[in-house]
Amino acid sequence: MKSFTYERAHSPAEAAAAAARTQGAKFIAGGTNLLDLMKLQIETPTHLIDVNDLALDRIDPMPDGGLRIGALVRNTDLAADMRIRRDYGVLSRALLSGASGQLRNQATTAGNLLQRTRCPYFYDTNQPCNKRQPGSGCGAIGGYSRQHAIVGVSDACIATHPSDMAVAMRTLDATVETVRADGAVRTIPIADFHRLPGNTPHLEDALQPGEFITAVTLPKPVGGTHLYRKVRDRASYAFALISVAAIVQRDGSGRVALGGVAHKPWRVEAAERSMGEGAKAVVTGMLSGARTTHDNAFKVILVERTLASVLAEAKGYA
Amino acid sequence: MTEFDPARRTLLKASAVAAGGAVAASRIAPEAQAVTVPQVKQPEAPATVNIRLSVNGTDYQVMLDPRTTLLDALRERLHLTGSKKGCDQGQCGACTVIVDGRRIASCLTLAVMQEGHDITTIEGLGTPKDLHPMQAAFVKHDGYQCGFCTPGQICSAVAMLEEVRAGIPSHVTVDLMRPMEATPAEFRERMSGNLCRCGAYSNIQEAIAEVAGVKS
């Protein structure tokens, strides 16, 4: 691990200002992803700003009937909150399908959004990776790509975003709240928060340097049956090959987002108009333009079958 | 010296104390005598930080490099070597400790981040003469072979049962709105962050079930 200096911030604005002031600074909250990457010298911050003392660990009701989730709410606490379990079940389910009990106790809401990819070529510093070292190439393209993205890919990168939580938040139309170093606050729709790789896969989100996430807000509940189905190589504690987050209404309409298929949670609103026609119609709309590899072409079929299973299960609850 | 010579452990402990700088707050002593080291050009020395860690009810004052993980601080500086370093990347659970009542991977947090928190390690759960019920159950049900993952398994299991009692759901919970049930299926899912290369899982599960008072 490279050397760094360390400070504890006492307000979001102070944290953002400290980050803007110090070249190479990073925020640390749970640390479960950042420290792992620092040990491998994939992340090499010169200064760590510990934000754990900021009072951002509450889930508060919003005037519009929604909820405001503080950036530091731990994954365990978010999944266990009775309002989330009752009204946003897809989010509870997604969180509980991710990581382990230990890591969910550490990981935060904002940190979960900012996870880096688990692409093995990103993790192996002996391999080329445009995300880790822009311009060095992509080991996954033409390499072992079973876990990789099938849609929204580029010639520079086929990595996936590893979060389950973010996939559920995409179906819920969540909004990310931030504060910048100058104190300005803004909101970013979750759809615009994560970026596609294009030719700049090292840029993964819409945040500006030093910009600090303070909360994620959920609009008022939309009802329906909430399901999250994660398909992986073992039954627990593994990243998704693919995952399906769905909210299905009694009339068969609904929302669907996919994990494990793209550089960001993947949702195509236009495709949701086909919900009544079944999984194949929806997936055809969602994955049009898919660009698979020899290793990951199975994901197209897997998504369709998983969505079919989810829609059948939803019918059982209706 | 045989592999099982108890003197070996004592010797290791003595040399570790001589090399380390950590002392309990109540008995701050000067740094152990410096030893001569060959002159090698060192990279720029990182600034050390002086922190207080509360572990198993004892406050420790310790100077350390900010890069030190909680796990390394516990093992190398406080000489609480019960917590184990398996993978050092949060995948195996051997380093599990309990912080403010919650189980965490101590390899994925910095010691400086844990100042002001109450840390419990396996050494704080029970003693050889006064075992924690979970420790006794692991012994009774033979919930280990090599024992390397055991401290993490036990810390994890103790905190896991508290999570069930607190009503925190899991991936296998069928109905999110009903009270949590303590079942073997729930224990298996909730313990997935602790790996056992010897494969003592069935016995571990029996030990946990006994402490939870359910049939395995």
Side-chain angles (χ1 to χ4, degrees):
Chain A
M1 205 185 293
K2 293 284 189 190
S3 288
F4 55 84
T5 49
Y6 170 88
E7 75 170 293
R8 285 193 183 198
H10 301 287
S11 76
E14 183 189 314
R21 201 165 50 232
T22 318
Q23 185 82 22
K26 283 243 172 209
F27 304 118
I28 188 162
T32 54
N33 191 210
L34 180 57
L35 282 171
D36 189 24
L37 293 169
M38 285 168 65
K39 289 177 185 183
L40 298 165
Q41 299 190 13
I42 294 168
E43 294 276 12
T44 53
T46 57
H47 183 63
L48 280 187
I49 303 160
D50 184 341
V51 296
N52 284 295
D53 289 346
L54 309 188
L56 297 173
D57 56 356
R58 292 171 51 89
I59 304 173
D60 293 315
M62 298 276 284
D64 69 352
L67 289 175
R68 184 172 187 274
I69 303 159
L72 293 173
V73 173
R74 308 287 152 172
N75 286 180
T76 298
D77 297 313
L78 183 56
D81 186 277
M82 286 309 293
R83 296 161 293 182
I84 300 290
R85 283 152 74 174
R86 185 186 64 218
D87 298 328
Y88 306 94
V90 67
L91 181 54
S92 265
R93 291 290 184 198
L95 284 158
L96 295 171
S97 76
S100 65
Q102 288 93 322
L103 299 187
R104 289 192 296 272
N105 284 340
Q106 293 167 269
T108 63
T109 304
N112 191 313
L113 285 177
L114 296 174
Q115 282 182 83
R116 310 294 308 274
T117 184
R118 299 289 165 156
C119 172
Y121 297 94
F122 173 72
Y123 261 74
D124 184 347
T125 51
N126 295 310
Q127 297 285 341
C129 172
N130 287 320
K131 183 182 283 297
R132 176 168 34 75
Q133 199 178 346
S136 62
C138 173
I141 296 173
Y144 179 71
S145 56
R146 180 169 174 270
Q147 298 168 317
H148 289 78
I150 55 172
V151 69
V153 299
S154 73
D155 290 336
C157 180
I158 58 171
T160 58
H161 195 271
S163 173
D164 295 294
M165 182 196 80
V167 180
M169 285 180 170
R170 182 70 179 88
T171 63
L172 293 165
D173 286 331
T175 302
V176 182
E177 289 187 9
T178 70
V179 59
R180 282 180 273 197
D182 61 3
V185 297
R186 67 165 174 153
T187 58
I188 307 165
I190 188 89
D192 302 332
F193 184 79
H194 295 106
R195 303 166 65 130
L196 288 178
N199 55 14
T200 54
H202 58 292
L203 303 176
E204 295 171 346
D205 54 58
L207 297 178
Q208 295 172 358
E211 191 170 3
F212 179 74
I213 298 173
T214 49
V216 174
T217 56
L218 302 177
K220 70 175 197 301
V222 295
T225 299
H226 288 225
L227 296 167
Y228 189 79
R229 189 76 62 85
K230 181 174 181 177
V231 184
R232 44 187 162 173
D233 284 331
R234 59 185 183 202
S236 184
Y237 200 14
F239 289 98
L241 285 169
I242 66 110
S243 68
V244 172
I247 301 173
V248 186
Q249 305 294 345
R250 276 175 184 281
D251 64 2
S253 67
R255 306 173 178 189
V256 180
L258 305 175
V261 300
H263 202 253
K264 59 189 287 186
W266 194 254
R267 182 176 171 200
V268 179
E269 278 86 340
E272 293 167 0
R273 288 191 219 111
S274 311
M275 287 283 282
E277 296 161 42
K280 191 177 183 68
V282 178
V283 173
T284 301
M286 292 188 89
L287 299 183
S288 71
R291 203 171 95 193
T292 60
T293 67
H294 173 265
D295 292 340
N296 70 15
F298 74 94
K299 285 192 175 188
V300 175
I301 304 153
L302 188 57
V303 165
E304 187 188 317
R305 289 177 179 170
T306 307
L307 179 60
S309 169
V310 164
L311 294 180
E313 185 180 344
K315 212 168 249 180
Y317 290 118
Chain B
M1 192 193 294
T2 72
E3 207 180 334
F4 302 104
D5 186 346
R8 181 174 163 266
R9 177 159 289 232
T10 313
L11 175 72
L12 282 173
K13 200 172 266 180
S15 59
V17 168
V23 287
S26 55
R27 49 185 180 88
I28 293 175
E31 192 76 19
Q33 196 176 342
V35 292
T36 312
V37 289
Q39 288 298 307
V40 179
K41 177 138 172 58
Q42 297 290 325
E44 197 181 335
T48 54
V49 288
N50 189 6
I51 64 163
R52 186 179 289 254
L53 286 176
S54 173
V55 186
N56 302 328
T58 301
D59 278 351
Y60 298 87
Q61 197 80 33
V62 56
M63 287 281 286
L64 41 71
D65 185 315
R67 288 176 289 186
T68 312
T69 62
L70 176 59
L71 174 63
D72 284 342
L74 290 171
R75 288 183 54 83
E76 309 296 331
R77 308 301 300 275
L78 308 186
H79 312 302
L80 296 168
T81 52
S83 307
K84 297 292 186 275
K85 184 183 280 194
C87 67
D88 207 25
Q89 52 186 15
Q91 293 185 359
C92 76
C95 69
T96 302
V97 300
I98 303 170
V99 175
D100 299 335
R102 289 279 182 92
R103 54 183 171 153
I104 67 165
S106 64
C107 74
L108 287 185
T109 189
L110 296 170
V112 288
M113 294 164 64
Q114 297 304 333
E115 192 168 26
H117 296 279
D118 287 325
I119 299 154
T120 303
T121 67
I122 190 70
E123 291 91 342
L125 281 183
T127 64
K129 286 205 171 96
D130 181 22
L131 294 178
H132 184 281
M134 191 67 78
Q135 291 173 312
F138 267 65
V139 173
K140 178 181 166 189
H141 291 278
D142 202 13
Y144 48 80
Q145 274 186 46
C146 79
F148 192 82
C149 73
T150 313
Q153 297 276 4
I154 290 175
C155 285
S156 186
V158 167
M160 181 276 289
L161 291 183
E162 287 304 318
E163 291 171 6
V164 176
R165 267 183 219 114
I168 293 168
S170 87
H171 176 59
V172 298
T173 304
V174 175
D175 187 341
L176 290 176
M177 298 311 291
R178 289 172 66 102
M180 289 309 111
E181 289 177 20
T183 64
E186 285 280 356
F187 301 154
R188 274 199 297 274
E189 159 60 25
R190 292 168 188 264
M191 291 296 291
S192 71
N194 291 84
L195 306 185
C196 171
R197 288 292 296 273
C198 305
Y201 293 114
S202 62
N203 294 0
I204 290 170
Q205 191 190 295
E206 281 174 20
I208 294 172
E210 177 172 296
V211 174
V214 304
K215 217 168 130 40
S216 66

